[in-house]
Every structure is written in C-alpha cells, then in structure tokens.
Amino acid sequence: MPTPEIRCPACRWKPGPDARWSCVPRCGTVWNTFATGGLCPGCGARWHRTQCLACGVVSPHRDWYLDPDDADGADTTRERDLATQG
Ligand SMILES: [Zn+2]
Ligand SMILES: [Zn+2]
C-alpha cells in the first residue's frame, strides 16, 4: 500500500518527515502530527484540525490526505449510490 499523499488543502505544501507541530495550549509536545494521524503522543488529545506551517491556514486534518480517486476532476458522482436503492 502506498502512503497517501499529504498536502495542505490551501497551498498544497507537503509536510516532510521533519515537519513539527506543537500541542498548544495543551501539553506542549512537539511532534509530526501526520505520523500519528493527529494524535498527540504527549497527552493523547486528537487534533481534528491542523495548521499549515507554510501558509498558516487551519484545515481539517483529514483534508490533508489526498485521495487518489479524487485527485483529478470535480466530485460529481457522490449521489449516485443513493439513487440505486430500491
Ligand atoms: Zn498534547
Ligand atoms: Zn498551506
């Protein structure tokens, strides 16, 4: 399984393995939040939003993971599953 591509939803900056986030104002632990899926190793807090170190925009953590299926084109087929019922 290839690792999902991670990039900032706002500016497309890609955090490397050396990127670090701080658990503030909670426990102050500094770690790579994408190594733990947004979970602070210090206090166990889950961070649902992640701030970009490049542009400063705060985005939902899951939005940083680029889904290969959604990589190109607009998302126009989402309602199709509902239409096939019954
Ligand atoms: Zn913490
Ligand atoms: Zn950014």
Side-chain angles (χ1 to χ4, degrees):
M1 286 286 287
T3 3
E5 189 173 352
I6 297 170
R7 52 96 185 96
C8 170
C11 74
R12 301 179 192 279
W13 170 73
K14 295 178 183 177
D18 292 339
R20 292 291 182 270
W21 284 259
S22 303
C23 184
V24 286
R26 299 186 70 131
C27 72
T29 292
V30 178
W31 86 110
N32 185 331
T33 191
F34 291 105
T36 61
L39 199 68
C40 173
C43 68
R46 180 170 287 282
W47 291 88
H48 294 284
R49 289 192 284 181
T50 298
Q51 183 176 27
C52 177
L53 301 185
C55 72
V57 171
V58 179
S59 305
H61 188 80
R62 60 183 171 82
D63 283 2
W64 283 71
Y65 297 90
L66 187 63
D67 185 345
D69 294 338
D70 292 342
D72 33 26
D75 185 12
T76 55
T77 58
R78 275 291 155 83
E79 292 178 20
R80 230 172 239 178
D81 288 341
L82 296 173
T84 56
Q85 287 184 2

